[in-house]
Amino acid sequence: MWKDLERRHKERRNATSITEFILIGFPNPWEIEIILFLLFFLIFVAAMIGNTLIIILISSDYRLQSPMYFFLGNLSMIEILITLTVVPKMLQNFLLELKNISFSGCLIQSYFYFLFGTSEYVLLAMMSYDRFVAICYPLHYTIKMNGKVCISLVLASWMSGFFSILTPTVMKLGLPYCGPNVINHFFCDSAPLLHLACADIHLLEFIDFLVSLPVILGSLLLTLISYIYILNTILQIPSATGRQKAFSTCASHLTVVSIGYSTSIFIYVRPSQTSSMNLNKIASLITTAIIPLLNPIIFTFRNQKVQEVFRDFIKKLTDRTKQLE
């Protein structure tokens, strides 16, 4: 028996001969690649600046020291990390003829992408709970959403990402990869990576599905339940102005939730993800590049308090610049 196990281990070790993967991305002529590089570089820079600015404003101004903005600051941090995990490598590959990534780099990228993505959806559910308490129980809001509770909810979102993604990643690391080494994606997504393994992947596909199901649909269910109660409470407000004001506090979050969940459900909440790979790549591009850019705009465009803090922030910077001159 021991000799048989040793033989299988040796065969598996010899099979894992791949040291790097090739990322196909979006195959285009060189001129189009340059245009795409410039376009997504501008999107990347704008997303970094927008989310960083939100974190600075929230952490530096007393007017934004509330649970809603605390969650928003953490959401911006996650958006920055997701973008840094995927977009720089994508930009690099636009300029390279050989669009490669190392074996370890591929698995690390995949792990952190899903860790931050999972944490984001759990955090969005926590934000919906915050809005539920604020609108349905306004008199108890400061008690129910105190600092300790907010920190615990944010830590829970991070820990849920860490623990839910750890096991599938370890299992992928143990698979034999013996070729081909071409990934039909612009980053190391789970499905195209799995289909390069020289082994039966049905169990791992099912595990990925089981992980995606409670994370995405579970957090979505919590969000829907929160908004059902929120909508019921808003409809009972007698004045139209009061209803509009109450709904405006949820509109930004609801917009982000709608975009984020619709794309992720399309990509991941399916037992098999091999079909429509080009559509999957476009949807993934939305979640990794476009949404991180849109979120700062969505959350600040109609938020009078954030706009006021931003104007004061710019004024202070202008005054300091004049003083230095």
Side-chain angles (χ1 to χ4, degrees):
M1 185 180 74
W2 290 107
K3 289 183 179 181
D4 185 54
L5 289 175
E6 185 179 355
R7 179 180 58 80
R8 291 183 182 179
H9 175 72
K10 187 176 181 180
E11 289 176 353
R12 184 169 182 170
R13 185 179 58 192
N14 292 336
T16 309
S17 57
I18 289 179
T19 59
E20 66 177 14
F21 294 102
I22 307 299
L23 297 169
I24 292 179
F26 299 94
N28 286 290
W30 171 250
E31 296 80 5
I32 303 298
E33 296 272 277
I34 294 297
I35 294 173
L36 290 175
F37 169 81
L38 293 173
L39 173 62
F40 284 103
F41 178 76
L42 292 175
I43 291 174
F44 171 73
V45 172
M48 290 295 101
I49 293 175
N51 284 289
T52 302
L53 186 58
I54 285 182
I55 294 172
I56 293 173
L57 293 178
I58 290 172
S59 59
S60 63
D61 198 286
Y62 71 94
R63 288 168 290 183
L64 301 181
Q65 301 298 311
S66 68
M68 180 178 74
Y69 298 109
F70 175 70
F71 289 128
L72 178 57
N74 279 274
L75 179 64
S76 292
M77 177 61 70
I78 291 177
E79 297 289 17
I80 289 173
L81 293 173
I82 289 177
T83 305
L84 288 174
T85 300
V86 174
V87 176
K89 185 61 180 177
M90 182 183 73
L91 291 174
Q92 182 188 43
N93 286 341
F94 280 135
L95 303 179
L96 298 177
E97 184 177 353
L98 182 61
K99 308 175 190 300
N100 62 327
I101 184 171
S102 67
F103 180 86
S104 58
C106 186
L107 289 174
I108 290 171
Q109 184 190 59
S110 179
Y111 173 73
F112 281 107
Y113 171 77
F114 287 104
L115 186 155
F116 298 138
T118 300
S119 301
E120 179 177 20
Y121 287 110
V122 177
L123 183 61
L124 286 172
M126 303 303 184
M127 293 174 73
S128 68
Y129 174 73
D130 170 70
R131 293 298 83 206
F132 159 73
V133 176
I135 293 176
C136 299
Y137 300 96
L139 299 179
H140 302 89
Y141 181 69
T142 54
I143 298 174
K144 289 179 176 291
M145 298 302 295
N146 57 60
K148 185 177 179 180
V149 170
C150 292
I151 292 173
S152 297
L153 292 176
V154 168
L155 287 176
S157 67
W158 284 99
M159 289 299 100
S160 63
F162 175 79
F163 286 110
S164 63
I165 301 303
L166 184 60
T167 299
T169 303
V170 171
M171 293 181 70
K172 291 169 190 173
L173 183 62
L175 289 174
Y177 296 89
C178 52
N181 66 336
V182 178
I183 297 177
N184 185 18
H185 218 302
F186 61 88
F187 77 103
C188 293
D189 200 359
S190 179
L193 178 61
L194 276 179
H195 283 84
L196 296 183
C198 307
D200 186 357
I201 61 169
H202 288 91
L203 177 60
L204 250 176
E205 278 192 316
F206 186 64
I207 290 175
D208 273 351
F209 171 69
L210 289 181
V211 169
S212 302
L213 195 65
V215 169
I216 298 179
L217 295 186
S219 58
L220 177 59
L221 180 62
L222 178 59
T223 302
L224 289 176
I225 292 172
S226 297
Y227 273 103
I228 288 172
Y229 281 101
I230 288 171
L231 182 60
N232 183 58
T233 302
I234 290 176
L235 292 176
Q236 294 179 21
I237 298 176
S239 66
T241 305
R243 289 194 297 270
Q244 184 178 2
K245 184 178 180 181
F247 184 76
S248 65
T249 63
C250 306
S252 299
H253 177 260
L254 193 57
T255 303
V256 171
V257 165
S258 301
I259 299 172
Y261 279 109
S262 59
T263 53
S264 292
I265 288 173
F266 172 78
I267 300 172
Y268 298 113
V269 187
R270 290 178 291 166
S272 178
Q273 302 161 19
T274 57
S275 61
S276 305
M277 186 55 68
N278 288 332
L279 291 177
N280 281 7
K281 286 193 285 186
I282 294 173
S284 296
L285 196 61
I286 293 173
T287 61
T288 56
I290 307 302
I291 290 180
L293 171 65
L294 291 179
N295 279 357
I297 299 172
I298 292 171
F299 278 107
T300 60
F301 183 67
R302 297 180 62 186
N303 192 308
Q304 296 297 326
K305 187 178 289 187
V306 175
Q307 291 177 13
E308 180 183 335
V309 171
F310 177 71
R311 286 194 294 268
D312 292 345
F313 178 77
I314 296 298
K315 186 175 183 300
K316 288 179 182 178
L317 286 180
T318 305
D319 293 341
R320 287 180 183 178
T321 303
K322 289 181 180 178
Q323 290 175 0
L324 292 174
E325 293 175 352

